Amino acid sequence: MLKDITIGQYFPGTSVIHRLDPRMKIVLTIVYVVLLFLVENLAGFVLSVVFVLAAYLIARIPVKMIAKSIKPILPILLFTMLLNLFFVRGTVIWQWGVLEITREGVRLSVLMVIRILCLIAGTSLLTYTTSPMTLTDGIERLLKPLGKVHFPVHELAMMMTIALRFIPTLVEETEKIMAAQKARGADMETGSLIHRAKALVPILIPLFLSAFRRAEELALAMECRCYHGGKGRTRMKQMHLAPRDLWALLLTAAALAAVIVCNIFFGSLYG
Amino acid sequence: MGTILTLEHLTYTYSPDTPFEKVALDDIDLSIEAGEFVGVIGHTGSGKSTLIQHMNGLLQPTKGRVLFRGRDIWEDKKKLRQIRFAVGLVFQYPEYQLFEETVEKDIAFGPTNMGLSPDEIKGRVREAASLVGLPEALLKKSPFELSGGQKRRVAIAGVIAMRPQVLILDEPTAGLDPRGREMILRQIKEYHTKMGNTVLLVSHSMDDVARFASRVLVMNRSRVFAYDTPEAVFCRGGELREIGLSVPQMTMVADALRQRGYPLPEGIYTVEQAAQALLLLFRGGDAPC
């Protein structure tokens, strides 16, 4: 059950997309999100779906992973769909009491759903193809200019790195503690809501204790190795842009341009 | 008493259909007789921990069956909890799962889940505490005030208090000092003799296994390498070394002596046996060749 959390779950591979510079991948993901919000017509939507699917194929990430990452936001998806379905004014095609569905509503809700799906698929691809450590390195480099205004970029990146590093550890720890309490007959799956909330106590207390213990040990270990923040710190792995990064940028820019052109020539669906 | 646990063609795969897919158990067939003291040995990653988690239904086999007293434990999922009370499992570093305000309450967690009466629970807590050698005075203390070894014993008592028919311990002495190790091992042995139930002890120490076990289960690369009496298993010293395991120190000493020409019998694996064989040899007056 805990293993179903896919955010930040890296899917190792050696595809071109895996090897892209993390900075470029972050920028491209942002560009893709912007693209999704610029799209105004069917041609644009087709383009954005094809774009993200092609990226999955190139990265050799099984497409069913998209389904996995969508599962947690299914309620939001449904809510958006219903909201658009019932509250958009226009040509009424179905009516029951105060509820009415319009042609525009149907169209818009379908498009909204596609947009959200692409959004999730696109951003998940970033975390599927980039290891968390590389990702935070990329973020740190991208945010570096902010350091000029005394924004603690390095500290922030270090916090993110540590947090990301410890997610799998804590998940594993939780599973272990759950198994141990289950072995003593703890029942977490049945009973009323209050009963189930109470059943969490035997898991949360040991988990908190171990998280604090780990934090303390880590702080000590870092101090032992003379960690003193980002000042004067050099990197073992330098990031360099390669030709493939430029090609990726070019392709994404072309997609963005195509969407804008579509908007100009095919008009808008939003009327 | 007959067979208590049977594993049939047990196979388990972690994270199937992902790049992390890993077969942890590969077609395991095993039956454990009631009343045995089984020592389980194997490398880290040989499948020991996965194996024992199948025995009380914490993991569901990918393929194959787990039988407890002849019945498939997955036949009726509602009865799984009963299986967990009957097959007590003490995990590695069990002190990290303590959570109650007092030692007494923590040991009582299992029995309370079984739905026993308060008097019965109280009796079992005392019994379990004395079995692992915890003084009464500690029962009212917070488990977090205790020393590492004491915490460990509280955690073991928490499982023993359920009076399981099979007690499985995953490296109960890991991270303890020699005295703590010795105490825990001796108490487990005592518990086994007193209660006459089945005990499975996972350990990295060949010597501990040699001293206490009536059967030895050797796991290697997700499979059962051997399941036999200690004599029979430690006779295969060469093969054991080949898979990166060793034999008990006394077996090594006996082998070395034999190589130097002292006619010691095979199948020596404890200090007592070695002492006896040597005495016999010297009193018999056999001169070294």
Side-chain angles (χ1 to χ4, degrees), chain A residues 1-263:
Chain A
M1 131 184 144
L2 287 165
K3 289 212 169 102
D4 290 339
I5 302 170
T6 56
I7 289 173
Q9 206 181 69
Y10 177 46
F11 218 82
T14 52
S15 73
V16 184
I17 296 192
H18 280 87
R19 281 179 291 142
L20 283 181
D21 189 293
R23 292 170 291 176
M24 188 54 87
K25 261 192 275 191
I26 296 167
V27 170
L28 293 186
T29 308
I30 296 170
V31 171
Y32 182 67
V33 172
V34 171
L35 175 153
L36 279 177
F37 282 93
L38 283 178
V39 168
E40 280 180 356
N41 50 45
L42 203 62
F45 274 109
V46 170
L47 188 85
S48 42
V49 171
V50 169
F51 187 82
V52 77
L53 285 181
Y56 268 80
L57 282 181
I58 295 168
R60 292 210 194 88
I61 304 284
V63 176
K64 72 174 176 198
M65 290 301 286
I66 304 182
K68 221 174 157 191
S69 51
I70 281 163
K71 229 178 9 185
I73 60 135
L74 218 57
I76 302 174
L77 208 61
L78 226 66
F79 184 70
T80 321
M81 203 174 97
L82 291 179
L83 220 60
N84 278 299
L85 202 57
F86 289 114
F87 291 97
V88 174
R89 309 255 145 251
T91 333
V92 177
I93 51 171
W94 181 85
Q95 197 166 22
W96 187 74
V98 281
L99 292 176
E100 55 178 41
I101 293 180
T102 63
R103 184 175 299 156
E104 287 78 5
V106 174
R107 198 185 289 152
L108 208 61
S109 64
V110 170
L111 292 183
M112 271 315 245
V113 167
I114 295 177
R115 178 174 284 167
I116 296 176
L117 289 182
C118 284
L119 196 67
I120 298 296
T123 45
S124 305
L125 187 65
L126 176 67
T127 53
Y128 284 150
T129 58
T130 323
S131 78
M133 293 298 145
T134 329
L135 198 60
T136 36
D137 270 359
I139 293 172
E140 185 177 355
R141 282 307 301 273
L142 282 175
L143 291 182
K144 215 173 176 185
L146 282 180
K148 291 228 164 64
V149 290
H150 297 293
F151 184 80
V153 177
H154 173 78
E155 282 69 20
L156 197 78
M158 182 54 85
M159 269 160 61
M160 278 173 68
T161 311
I162 292 173
L164 283 170
R165 160 66 186 77
F166 277 96
I167 288 173
T169 313
L170 284 179
V171 167
E172 200 180 297
E173 190 101 3
T174 314
E175 274 173 356
K176 249 191 221 159
I177 296 170
M178 269 169 81
Q181 307 299 26
K182 266 194 205 161
R184 292 205 278 167
D187 182 11
M188 281 158 277
E189 277 115 32
T190 58
S192 65
L193 207 62
I194 295 172
H195 178 87
R196 272 193 245 185
K198 272 189 187 159
L200 282 179
V201 174
I203 292 160
L204 289 181
I205 291 178
L207 189 64
F208 272 116
L209 274 170
S210 93
F212 282 123
R213 198 182 55 244
R214 274 179 203 289
E216 229 170 287
E217 281 168 5
L218 181 71
L220 201 65
M222 284 168 83
E223 258 175 59
C224 284
R225 289 194 266 173
C226 304
Y227 177 77
H228 60 92
K231 218 172 174 192
R233 203 175 166 80
T234 53
R235 311 205 140 266
M236 189 167 89
K237 281 186 194 151
Q238 299 281 349
M239 281 179 264
H240 295 293
L241 288 178
R244 56 173 173 270
D245 294 306
L246 297 178
W247 280 110
L249 179 66
L250 222 61
L251 263 171
T252 316
L256 185 68
V259 164
I260 294 170
V261 170
C262 283
N263 282 349

Side-chain angles (χ1 to χ4, degrees), chain A residues 180-181 184-185 206 209 213, chain B residues 19 81 84 96-97 106 113 144:
Chain A
Q181 307 299 26
R184 292 205 278 167
L209 274 170
R213 198 182 55 244
Chain B
R81 269 181 89 202
R84 287 180 192 151
Y96 293 142
Q97 78 210 27
D106 209 286
N113 284 330
F144 303 110

Side-chain angles (χ1 to χ4, degrees), chain B residues 36-39 181-182 184-190 192 201 206-215 230 269-270:
Chain B
E36 295 273 15
F37 193 119
V38 183
R181 295 171 56 101
E182 194 54 37
I184 290 214
L185 285 174
R186 213 172 306 136
Q187 271 146 2
I188 292 167
K189 182 68 193 174
E190 243 169 63
H192 176 244
L201 175 75
M206 288 290 166
D207 293 280
D208 292 347
V209 168
R211 266 170 63 205
F212 297 113
S214 59
R215 291 257 155 179
Y269 51 89
T270 65

Side-chain angles (χ1 to χ4, degrees), chain B residues 193-206:
Chain B
T193 324
K194 212 172 193 173
M195 310 298 266
N197 52 9
T198 316
V199 172
L200 271 87
L201 175 75
V202 178
S203 174
H204 273 300
S205 160
M206 288 290 166

